[in-house]
Amino acid sequence: MQVFAYAVGGWLVLVGAAGIVRSHHLVHTVVSLSVAQAGTYVFLLAVGFQWTAVAPVFSTRTETHRAVVDPVVQAMTLTDIVVSATVTALLLALAVQIQKRHGTVDPDELRALKG
């Protein structure tokens, strides 16, 4: 099961990277970056996954000798999601401003503006 998760994560990162390289629209580039970042979520969750482990919730009634899932990996995944949402919002706002100022979101046409 973990090999499948690693394969899916790798596939998402590759598809996102290919989308970034082949993009001719800034919004498409941002969406491709989001797809690649989703691959990192799958990677992180695959690293922390254990078949027989339980959630790391401790109390006086729980068994102390049972394996638990590493909560640091889950926290890193949540942090990755928050950072991804922030970066996506920032990049989409930049794309909107570029559209307003230059009338295009094609990176090839924006290079021609350099002079």
Side-chain angles (χ1 to χ4, degrees):
M1 182 67 177
Q2 278 186 309
V3 173
F4 181 70
Y6 287 123
V8 170
W11 182 78
L12 284 172
V13 170
L14 288 176
V15 167
I20 291 170
V21 170
R22 297 179 48 90
S23 177
H24 293 287
H25 196 281
L26 290 179
V27 175
H28 181 263
T29 305
V30 172
V31 171
S32 298
L33 178 65
S34 296
V35 169
Q37 288 175 331
T40 63
Y41 311 153
V42 176
F43 273 133
L44 286 172
L45 292 175
V47 166
F49 181 76
Q50 296 178 8
W51 276 105
T52 58
V54 295
V57 178
F58 301 106
S59 71
T60 56
R61 295 181 182 175
T62 58
E63 302 173 29
T64 56
H65 62 278
R66 196 156 184 204
V68 296
V69 176
D70 187 8
V72 173
V73 176
Q74 295 173 359
M76 288 175 57
T77 304
L78 287 174
T79 303
D80 193 12
I81 291 170
V82 170
V83 169
S84 172
T86 305
V87 168
T88 300
L90 178 66
L91 291 176
L92 287 175
L94 285 173
V96 168
Q97 291 301 317
I98 289 171
Q99 170 65 32
K100 284 181 180 176
R101 289 180 186 223
H102 300 289
T104 183
V105 287
D106 186 0
D108 293 332
E109 293 179 19
L110 291 173
R111 282 188 201 129
L113 296 175
K114 277 187 169 180

